[in-house]
Amino acid sequence: MAHHRLLSQDSAIFSPSVARIAASTARDWSYIDAWLSSKFHPRPVPSFERNNDTLKALLALASVNEAADDERNLVAKSEATALQELTDSERKIDKTSRPLREGLIEAVEHNLPTDGHTALAAMANIALQFGIAFPEPDTLGQRMCQLQASIHDAEQMKARVEVLHKHVDDEAARIKELLKELQRDDYQPPAHLAKQNLDMQRKVKALSAKLPELQDKVAALAASADSSHPTIADLARDEQEYLSVLSRKKELGVQLATFQGLPSDPDVARAELEELRDQLRSIESQRDAVFEGLVERESPVKRRR
């Protein structure tokens, strides 16, 4: 039995499957040790427990780390490639002596639709007419509004000038007709023209004689108008007079309040006033009698009696 146990142990130790598992585990640990050494270099790798669970966790971590490194390397390679292409394109542009801005503008113009070309040409023409070196849509819009307002003002002025020109033409035609009529050989002035001329001369002389008098009246009116303007002192004086009148009004109102309820007829009011006075005297007599009675009743002399 002991010999059989030894044979089974030897077969277990030298089993091919066990050997493969042990070799695979050794390779995994060797890979993990190399990976940890690369990560902790130049420091030594910290000590840790070596078992199957630790090996699985470290293998998973190494796999994820390698995938991240591959992605990072791929991104770096892409960036390097793009930078190289950009550098090559700039070198080509420098060799052909063509600025990048012109290329972009040409590409934009080439890809514009028909409406875009029309709008761009219109904006360019407007900017050229306005003399704007760097046009912006809002600036062009403002200038267009200003131009429209100027056009409207010019049209209004043109209409007024046309109306004035028409009046001038009408007056010129009327004067020409009058001149033709006056220049005719058979022209005779109206009969009343001489009388009208004399009347006009007489009126002119009369008004010339009255002119100094009228000028004096105008000067007097102007002086009175200037003096009629109140000053601050006048306003203060008027205010004081108004306040005094208002105070007097209040005093009279208090005095009149005592006569409120009396008839408007003076005789009737006087009779009613006398009646009220009689009532007042009667009440005063009653008061005096009551007072005397109280004094006699409370007098010490009367008590001794």
Side-chain angles (χ1 to χ4, degrees):
M1 292 179 64
H3 179 71
H4 180 69
R5 189 180 299 110
L6 290 173
L7 289 175
S8 62
Q9 290 178 355
D10 293 339
S11 62
I13 292 173
F14 295 103
S15 174
S17 60
V18 175
R20 284 195 299 272
I21 293 172
S24 176
T25 303
R27 285 195 302 272
D28 292 340
W29 277 114
S30 177
Y31 167 73
I32 292 299
D33 291 336
W35 177 70
L36 291 175
S37 297
S38 64
K39 295 299 179 183
F40 284 96
H41 183 77
R43 295 175 298 172
V45 179
S47 59
F48 59 92
E49 183 180 356
R50 293 175 176 267
N51 52 33
N52 290 330
D53 294 335
T54 305
L55 180 61
K56 290 180 181 180
L58 290 174
L59 287 173
L61 181 61
S63 177
V64 173
N65 186 262
E66 286 183 355
D69 291 340
D70 293 339
E71 291 180 359
R72 185 169 59 254
N73 293 332
L74 183 60
V75 171
K77 186 177 180 180
S78 301
E79 291 178 352
T81 304
L83 181 61
Q84 185 64 33
E85 291 179 356
L86 182 60
T87 304
D88 295 340
S89 63
E90 289 179 353
R91 289 177 181 175
K92 290 180 181 179
I93 291 173
D94 293 337
K95 289 180 180 179
T96 56
S97 299
R98 185 179 182 183
L100 179 61
R101 181 179 179 182
E102 293 183 0
L104 291 175
I105 293 175
E106 183 178 354
V108 171
E109 290 180 354
H110 181 71
N111 293 316
L112 282 176
T114 305
D115 296 338
H117 280 288
T118 305
L120 186 60
M123 289 181 63
N125 291 329
I126 293 172
L128 182 62
Q129 293 294 329
F130 288 150
I132 301 175
F134 300 99
E136 295 291 339
D138 53 351
T139 305
L140 294 177
Q142 292 177 0
R143 296 296 295 272
M144 286 293 294
C145 292
Q146 294 175 0
L147 180 61
Q148 189 67 28
S150 301
I151 292 173
H152 178 72
D153 295 339
E155 289 178 352
Q156 295 295 322
M157 293 176 64
K158 178 184 176 183
R160 290 194 291 269
V161 170
E162 288 178 352
V163 172
L164 181 60
H165 190 270
K166 184 177 181 301
H167 285 301
V168 171
D169 291 341
D170 294 340
E171 290 295 326
R174 189 178 64 82
I175 291 172
K176 285 181 180 180
E177 292 294 333
L178 180 60
L179 183 61
K180 287 181 181 180
E181 184 179 357
L182 294 175
Q183 289 178 350
R184 288 188 306 176
D185 296 336
D186 58 347
Y187 173 75
Q188 295 292 333
H192 64 280
L193 186 60
K195 183 179 179 181
Q196 186 177 1
N197 189 12
L198 291 175
D199 293 338
M200 291 295 295
Q201 290 180 1
R202 192 179 299 111
K203 289 180 180 179
V204 169
K205 289 180 180 180
L207 291 175
S208 298
K210 291 182 179 180
L211 184 60
E213 182 181 357
L214 294 175
Q215 289 178 350
D216 294 337
K217 288 183 179 180
V218 170
L221 290 174
S224 63
D226 294 336
S227 62
S228 63
H229 292 292
T231 61
I232 297 177
D234 296 336
L235 293 176
R237 185 175 59 255
D238 293 340
E239 183 181 4
Q240 292 297 329
E241 292 178 358
Y242 171 74
L243 293 176
S244 61
V245 171
L246 187 62
S247 176
R248 180 60 179 168
K249 175 181 175 297
K250 290 181 179 179
E251 293 176 359
L252 294 176
V254 173
Q255 294 179 6
L256 290 175
T258 57
F259 298 99
Q260 188 176 5
L262 293 176
S264 58
D265 190 359
D267 296 334
V268 178
R270 191 177 293 107
E272 187 174 351
L273 182 60
E274 291 297 333
E275 183 179 357
L276 292 174
R277 286 177 178 174
D278 294 338
Q279 292 179 4
L280 179 60
R281 294 191 191 97
S282 176
I283 292 172
E284 289 178 351
S285 300
Q286 292 178 5
R287 182 196 62 186
D288 294 339
V290 171
F291 181 73
E292 290 176 358
L294 290 174
V295 170
E296 291 178 357
R297 187 177 61 186
E298 298 296 331
S299 176
V301 178
K302 187 176 181 180
R303 287 179 182 177
R304 285 196 299 267
R305 290 179 183 177

Coordinates of all heavy atoms in Angstrom, one line a residue, residues 74-94:
L74 N -2.4 55.1 -29.7 CA -3.1 55.3 -31.0 C -3.5 56.8 -31.2 O -3.4 57.4 -32.2 CB -4.4 54.5 -31.0 CG -5.2 54.5 -32.3 CD1 -4.4 54.1 -33.5 CD2 -6.4 53.6 -32.2
V75 N -4.0 57.4 -30.1 CA -4.4 58.9 -30.1 C -3.1 59.7 -30.4 O -3.2 60.6 -31.2 CB -5.1 59.3 -28.8 CG1 -5.2 60.8 -28.8 CG2 -6.4 58.6 -28.7
A76 N -2.1 59.4 -29.7 CA -0.8 60.1 -29.9 C -0.3 60.0 -31.3 O 0.1 61.0 -32.0 CB 0.2 59.7 -28.9
K77 N -0.4 58.8 -31.9 CA 0.0 58.5 -33.2 C -0.9 59.3 -34.2 O -0.4 59.9 -35.2 CB -0.1 57.0 -33.5 CG 0.5 56.7 -34.9 CD 0.5 55.2 -35.1 CE 1.0 54.8 -36.5 NZ 1.0 53.3 -36.7
S78 N -2.2 59.4 -33.9 CA -3.1 60.1 -34.8 C -2.8 61.6 -34.8 O -2.8 62.3 -35.8 CB -4.6 59.9 -34.4 OG -4.9 58.5 -34.5
E79 N -2.6 62.1 -33.6 CA -2.2 63.5 -33.4 C -0.9 63.8 -34.2 O -0.8 64.9 -34.8 CB -2.1 63.9 -32.0 CG -3.5 63.9 -31.2 CD -3.3 64.2 -29.8 OE1 -2.2 64.3 -29.3 OE2 -4.4 64.4 -29.1
A80 N 0.0 63.0 -34.0 CA 1.3 63.2 -34.7 C 1.1 63.2 -36.2 O 1.7 64.0 -36.9 CB 2.3 62.1 -34.3
T81 N 0.3 62.2 -36.7 CA 0.0 62.2 -38.1 C -0.7 63.4 -38.6 O -0.3 64.0 -39.7 CB -0.8 60.9 -38.4 OG1 -0.2 59.7 -37.9 CG2 -1.0 60.8 -39.9
A82 N -1.7 63.9 -37.8 CA -2.4 65.1 -38.2 C -1.5 66.3 -38.2 O -1.5 67.2 -39.1 CB -3.6 65.4 -37.3
L83 N -0.6 66.4 -37.2 CA 0.4 67.5 -37.1 C 1.3 67.4 -38.3 O 1.7 68.5 -38.9 CB 1.1 67.4 -35.8 CG 2.1 68.5 -35.6 CD1 1.5 69.9 -35.6 CD2 2.9 68.3 -34.2
Q84 N 1.7 66.2 -38.7 CA 2.6 66.1 -39.8 C 2.0 66.5 -41.1 O 2.6 67.2 -42.0 CB 3.1 64.6 -39.9 CG 4.2 64.4 -41.0 CD 5.5 65.2 -40.7 OE1 5.8 65.4 -39.6 NE2 6.1 65.6 -41.8
E85 N 0.7 66.1 -41.3 CA 0.0 66.5 -42.5 C -0.2 68.0 -42.5 O -0.1 68.6 -43.6 CB -1.4 65.8 -42.5 CG -1.3 64.3 -42.7 CD -2.7 63.6 -42.7 OE1 -3.7 64.4 -42.4 OE2 -2.7 62.4 -42.9
L86 N -0.6 68.6 -41.4 CA -0.7 70.1 -41.3 C 0.6 70.8 -41.7 O 0.6 71.8 -42.4 CB -1.2 70.5 -40.0 CG -1.5 72.0 -39.8 CD1 -2.6 72.5 -40.7 CD2 -1.9 72.3 -38.3
T87 N 1.7 70.2 -41.1 CA 3.0 70.8 -41.4 C 3.3 70.7 -42.9 O 3.8 71.7 -43.5 CB 4.1 70.1 -40.6 OG1 3.7 70.2 -39.2 CG2 5.4 70.8 -40.8
D88 N 3.0 69.5 -43.5 CA 3.3 69.3 -44.9 C 2.4 70.3 -45.7 O 2.9 70.8 -46.7 CB 3.0 67.9 -45.3 CG 3.9 66.9 -44.6 OD1 5.0 67.4 -44.2 OD2 3.6 65.7 -44.5
S89 N 1.1 70.5 -45.3 CA 0.3 71.4 -46.1 C 0.8 72.8 -46.0 O 0.7 73.6 -47.0 CB -1.2 71.3 -45.6 OG -1.2 71.7 -44.2
E90 N 1.2 73.2 -44.8 CA 1.8 74.6 -44.7 C 3.0 74.7 -45.5 O 3.2 75.8 -46.1 CB 2.1 74.9 -43.2 CG 0.8 75.0 -42.3 CD 1.2 75.3 -40.9 OE1 2.4 75.2 -40.6 OE2 0.2 75.6 -40.1
R91 N 3.8 73.7 -45.6 CA 5.0 73.8 -46.4 C 4.7 73.9 -47.9 O 5.3 74.7 -48.6 CB 5.9 72.6 -46.2 CG 6.6 72.5 -44.8 CD 7.4 71.2 -44.6 NE 8.0 71.2 -43.3 CZ 8.7 70.2 -42.9 NH1 8.8 69.0 -43.6 NH2 9.3 70.2 -41.7
K92 N 3.6 73.2 -48.3 CA 3.2 73.3 -49.7 C 2.6 74.7 -50.0 O 2.9 75.2 -51.0 CB 2.1 72.2 -49.9 CG 2.6 70.8 -49.9 CD 1.5 69.8 -50.2 CE 2.0 68.4 -50.2 NZ 0.9 67.4 -50.4
I93 N 1.9 75.2 -49.0 CA 1.3 76.6 -49.2 C 2.5 77.6 -49.3 O 2.4 78.5 -50.1 CB 0.4 76.9 -48.0 CG1 -0.9 76.1 -48.1 CG2 0.0 78.4 -48.1 CD1 -1.8 76.2 -47.0
D94 N 3.5 77.4 -48.4 CA 4.6 78.3 -48.5 C 5.4 78.2 -49.8 O 5.9 79.2 -50.3 CB 5.6 78.0 -47.3 CG 4.9 78.4 -46.0 OD1 4.0 79.2 -46.0 OD2 5.3 77.8 -44.9

